[in-house]
Structures are given as structure tokens and as C-alpha cells.
Amino acid sequence: MTQTTTHVQPLTLPAPAAATRQAAPLPALGQLVLSELRRMVRNPMFFIGTVGFPILWFALFGLPNVNEQLPDGTNVGRYILVSFGTYSLLTLAMYSFGLAVAAERTGGWLRLLRASPMPAPLYFLGKVVAALVFSAFSLTMLYTFAHFAGGVTLPPCWR
């Protein structure tokens, strides 16, 4: 039996140019924001803690005191509404940035993102925009509940 050997040339690919590795920023940012919002809404502990608990706490502690006044004339209902709005925003900040980024880092997601053509600042900008959108939603839900359940309205800022 005769044995024939064929020589295979190794395949060489050109190195990618720097311009071809960049993703289009605006569509990528939109997809990042949508994925972050989906992650926030699909996590029941996060969603209930950020949207549900401030409404619940206002119903328990704010509604019975809606018409009370502090000695300096401040409406207690407004004061409690702003306090629980702040609670909602702080909860969102701690869990959407601190906890989520730590979990993504330990899960290897950040390493995968560094290997992708997406610029790193775009990832953090997507998280910030999603947090702003979700915080607007959370505050809107809380203020709407306070307005319709207790008649609490905030004064205009320009007075």
C-alpha cells in the first residue's frame, strides 16, 4: 500500500481593523437599555422592592397622616411621599448598579463584553439610562398612588 501525504496550508486571516470592531453606538445603547429594563422587570424581588414597597409603605404610614401639618406648616403627606420616593431611588441605585455589576462580574458577563466590539463606556451608559427610565416609572407609580389615594400633590418647583 502506498501512502500519500498532502500538505495543507494553514489558513491565515488578516487582523481586523480597529474601525470594523466598533458597534454602532445608538442601536447598541437602545438594546442595552431594553435588556436592562427587562432584567429589572423580570426580577420580582427587585421590581417589588423598588416599585411595590414604597407604595405599600406610603399606604401604611402616609395615608393615615395625609392631612396633618408639622409645627412649621409642612404637610406630613408630602414629606412622607418624598421620603418614600427617595427610598425607591436608593433601592434602585443599590440593586441596579452595585449588586447587578458584581453579579455580572462574577458570572463572567463583563469579560464577555470586553471581548465584544461594544465600547465599555456604552455598557455603563446603558445601565444609567435604564436606571433613569425605571426610576421615572417608579416615582410616577408612587406619586400617582399618592395623588389618587390620598390627594397628595407636590407644589410646583418655581414658587
Side-chain angles (χ1 to χ4, degrees), residues 66-120:
V66 165
N67 296 321
E68 304 224 3
Q69 300 284 329
L70 292 177
D72 65 350
T74 305
N75 185 312
V76 173
R78 288 180 183 166
Y79 186 79
I80 293 175
L81 176 63
V82 171
S83 298
F84 288 126
T86 305
Y87 168 80
S88 175
L89 295 180
L90 288 175
T91 303
L92 181 106
M94 285 189 300
Y95 289 111
S96 73
F97 287 111
L99 189 64
V101 171
E104 289 169 358
R105 183 175 181 190
T106 57
W109 180 244
L110 293 181
R111 181 177 290 163
L112 181 65
L113 285 175
R114 278 185 290 183
S116 73
M118 182 182 65

Side-chain angles (χ1 to χ4, degrees), residues 48 51-64 84 142 145:
I48 292 170
V51 177
F53 280 160
I55 293 173
L56 176 71
W57 300 141
F58 184 80
L60 291 174
F61 302 114
L63 288 180
F84 288 126
L142 177 63
F145 176 78

